[in-house]
Amino acid sequence: MMRMISGAAARKATVLSSVLLASTMLTGVTSVLAQDTTVGEVIVTAQKRSEDLQDVPVSIQAIGGERLEALVVSDFNDYVKYLPSVSFQSTAPGFSSVYMRGVASGGDGNHSGSLPSVGIYLDEQPITTIQGALDVHVYDMERVEALAGPQGTLYGASSQAGTIRLITRKPELGEFSAAIDTEVNSVSEGDIGYGVEGFVNIPLSESAAVRVVGWYQHDAGYVDNVAGTRTYPTWGGTINNNTLVEEDYNDVTTVGGRLALKIDLNENWTVTPSLMAQSEESNGNFSFDPTNGDLQISRYRPEGAKDEWYQAAMTIEGKLGSLDFVYAGSYMKRDVDSQSDYSDYSFFYDTLFGYGAYWVDNLSNPVDPTQYIQARDRYTKESHEIRLSTPSDLPLRVVGGYFMQNQTHGIEQRYMIDGIGTGIEVPGWPDTIWLTQQFRTDKDYALFGEVSWDFKPGWTLTGGMRYFLTENGLKGFFGYGAGYSGSTGEAACFGPPQVDGSPCTNLNKTTEESGFTHKVNLTWAVDDDRMVYGTWSTGYRPGGINRRGTLPPYGSDFLTNMELGWKTMWFNKSVRWNGAIYQERWDDFQFSILGANGLTEIKNAAQARIRGIETDVAWRVTEGLTLTAGAAWTDAELTANYCGFTTPGGVPVTQCATPQAPKGTQLPVTPRFKANLVARYEFTLGEYDAHIQGAMVTQTSSWTDLRLVERAIIGKQDGWSAFDFVAGVERDAWSAEFFVQNLTDERASLYRYAQCAEAVCGGAVYTVPNQPRTLGLRLGRKF
């Protein structure tokens, strides 16, 4: 017979059990802490000098080289998903617009659009181009750094909302090393991918070494171009795409290499020249039409792009007395040739407005109105920075310097209809109904400096300022021939050609701006393992020229950031927990839309408020088991109405009867919540060193446009979660690894869009997905 226990006895038993459980847990913790479970030091160069991540009062997410390899990272899409404060819109490889901390308005990213709000650097040199981030192949990298918030003091114009830095591994003196890695993979509902990568580090003397890196990567296609027909009501004919039907037609081939030389001239001076080049050829389209079916689309003209670029760079480091001297310069050239189907424009403008009646041959008979685009983009970017800094061990430290960059963009876009009459062509351009032949320049000059003062033990006050002078110019031709339009294009020309290939000039404008950005930071090192900081900083993005001549230039927009952050280590350095809480005010932000005739129009909009929390944790549970996680919560909304127009002087109008986006509207692109979790276990399996790893990335839903009508047409991007798995072994110099990416075959929506203005082309909405489930095998050999 079971005896009943009194309440007092039960409470005593509960207390005793709790004590025993706590004792057991403490014993376990003591056992774990007795092992080597320190998280390890992460060195970053975010403040233009090498420092431990935990000593830098900036919100930084850093992914080291070994972790990049462990996460099977090979390109932009792979690493950006592990950066919670970063979001992006992408239509194809090499055409991604990057945003941080919700500073995004959903602009169309056109070639005559605003400069980026996030700067991207390759080592010390900026590589941000106007139309998108370079899709640099990630191999033999030291780390990736993401600096969240305005970096307007040390990094300047295109670092309004943050900066992403790709740090390559440098040549190592006195040591030969090499490796080769191969991969084969299979994409669900797709084709077979494969690649080979390798490097060699060769000492040339006691004071010189060279590092050579190369890669060849073929990414499998997974989107099918399926059979379709389209009937144009005015022309009366029906077209089909029978000759272009193909499965898995969006494959990509990437070939590239990097050559770096390191020379120690003496004990104080080092020169590091480098050359990096890459060619990326993509076929097909990277979106699908849900009305056609999963991963299926119907395209009626060939599509694809060839993106070739190189960057020559030079870094010189040395001593001028007690000062550290750095020169960083580079020249980058990027050529992109692309072709794309533009038949949605033809179909909807003909169906809704009867445009097919205007697209005729020499006998005035309507022709097949299917449009397509042939484009050539020619970019150059030259940058120079000279920087001086005092020794880092002084209580009063100063860093300052001069920066300049000059970007150019040669723009050629032919909107073509086969068989149109010579009378409605753009002169000198057969079958071309519309031509853009322009040359854009963006110049940026700056003086910058920061002073840090350790005014008492554990306390540091930092102040920084950057004076900038920017110039934006756009000249050339855009529009129709005089036989097609009597008021635009050729009919609006006021002078002879200033850009090669243009029939005449109807645009030639420049605008200049100057101003200051600042940063004030207070840091308190509570002890050796914990630090908190507060920052008040600003960032800016230059204004520019609208190519529609009737519109005024758009002005700079500014971001003001108030931030409280922490950098901490716990439990004998086995746990690293960092984070930041911030609020930002975005004033007169630049907003791009596709206006009449598909022309980009940029106007300063209203104001927005952004609040958020970002954090990352690393916990080395045992010598073999490590958990890492990162998360960001972002609340970004308008604080004034967006009415869609400005005063004649360019000041945003916020009082109107029917705002296109009322006060309180959520800003687009950035999800409210984005997070990742990675668990890695390393162990011994017989004579092999083995590992298994699981990773999860998740984010909530987001909009693609700010305006209520347009976002209703395009629809909301659903939230999604994706899981990756890796298992591998190593022995001696050999390694083998099996991986699965997107284990559950989640169909994430990375971008949704219509081919022209939503009110016209919104009947066909496309989705850019993540890559379907991919199974792969990697084999490697070190020498």
Side-chain angles (χ1 to χ4, degrees), residues 174-198:
E175 178 180 334
F176 174 86
S177 59
I180 186 169
D181 295 281
T182 61
E183 176 185 323
V184 62
N185 59 70
S186 176
V187 179
S188 178
E189 307 296 329
D191 211 338
I192 302 297
Y194 47 87
V196 59
E197 307 162 314

Side-chain angles (χ1 to χ4, degrees), residues 19-38:
V19 170
L20 291 173
L21 178 60
S23 175
T24 302
M25 292 178 64
L26 287 173
T27 302
V29 169
T30 303
S31 175
V32 168
L33 295 179
Q35 305 178 36
D36 179 14
T37 58
T38 57

Side-chain angles (χ1 to χ4, degrees), residues 457-751:
W459 290 86
T460 301
L461 179 65
T462 299
M465 185 172 289
R466 188 182 189 98
Y467 168 77
F468 63 85
L469 173 65
T470 65
E471 178 182 314
N472 171 261
L474 188 62
K475 65 180 180 181
F477 174 87
F478 67 98
Y480 302 110
Y484 188 81
S485 172
S487 59
T488 62
E490 188 184 6
C493 281
F494 51 76
Q498 296 191 32
V499 177
D500 290 343
S502 59
C504 52
T505 297
N506 59 15
L507 177 64
N508 186 5
K509 289 186 176 182
T510 60
T511 183
E512 293 184 0
E513 292 182 299
S514 62
F516 293 89
T517 60
H518 72 262
K519 170 185 175 181
V520 179
N521 175 273
L522 180 63
T523 301
W524 176 34
V526 181
D527 54 35
D528 290 341
D529 291 335
R530 282 163 282 276
M531 173 258 281
V532 294
Y533 67 88
T535 299
W536 172 36
S537 59
T538 59
Y540 81 102
R541 179 170 50 167
I545 297 298
N546 269 294
R547 59 173 170 155
R548 189 183 294 281
T550 56
L551 295 177
Y554 55 95
S556 296
D557 55 5
F558 284 81
L559 189 70
T560 302
N561 173 59
M562 303 294 290
E563 179 176 334
L564 178 65
W566 61 91
K567 300 285 182 76
T568 64
M569 303 284 278
W570 302 88
F571 305 117
N572 199 27
K573 298 185 185 296
S574 65
V575 176
R576 181 177 65 236
W577 178 39
N578 299 338
I581 302 172
Y582 64 88
Q583 176 165 305
E584 298 179 334
R585 189 183 73 241
W586 193 14
D587 292 317
D588 298 336
F589 63 81
Q590 299 164 15
F591 187 56
S592 302
I593 64 168
L594 286 177
N597 304 123
L599 277 182
T600 297
E601 297 180 0
I602 308 147
K603 300 176 183 178
N604 291 91
Q607 288 76 42
R609 184 268 300 148
I610 305 164
R611 293 174 180 155
I613 303 172
E614 52 202 18
T615 186
D616 62 271
V617 180
W619 179 20
R620 194 169 180 191
V621 183
T622 68
E623 282 188 295
L625 177 61
T626 302
L627 303 177
T628 56
W633 174 81
T634 309
D635 178 26
E637 65 176 38
L638 289 179
T639 54
N641 294 333
Y642 170 65
C643 294
F645 56 94
T646 65
T647 67
V651 177
V653 173
T654 60
Q655 298 299 321
C656 52
T658 309
Q660 296 185 31
K663 177 182 177 180
T665 299
Q666 182 183 348
L667 296 187
V669 180
T670 303
R672 285 189 179 271
F673 181 74
K674 179 182 177 183
N676 65 79
L677 173 64
V678 180
R680 183 177 179 87
Y681 182 56
E682 299 175 346
F683 56 99
T684 300
L685 185 64
E687 298 181 348
Y688 295 90
D689 294 326
H691 62 267
I692 55 174
Q693 176 181 285
M696 178 195 73
V697 177
T698 185
Q699 69 177 51
T700 56
S701 61
S702 63
W703 297 101
T704 61
D705 201 291
L706 175 68
R707 300 160 296 172
L708 300 190
V709 172
E710 284 74 12
R711 66 166 53 176
I713 294 172
I714 297 299
K716 199 170 191 178
Q717 299 187 142
D718 293 334
W720 53 273
S721 299
F723 300 87
D724 298 342
F725 175 79
V726 174
V729 294
E730 295 182 29
R731 181 180 178 185
D732 299 326
W734 291 91
S735 64
E737 193 170 58
F738 170 76
F739 65 88
V740 183
Q741 293 178 306
N742 193 7
L743 178 66
T744 59
D745 202 23
E746 176 81 0
R747 199 71 71 239
S749 176
L750 304 181
Y751 185 39

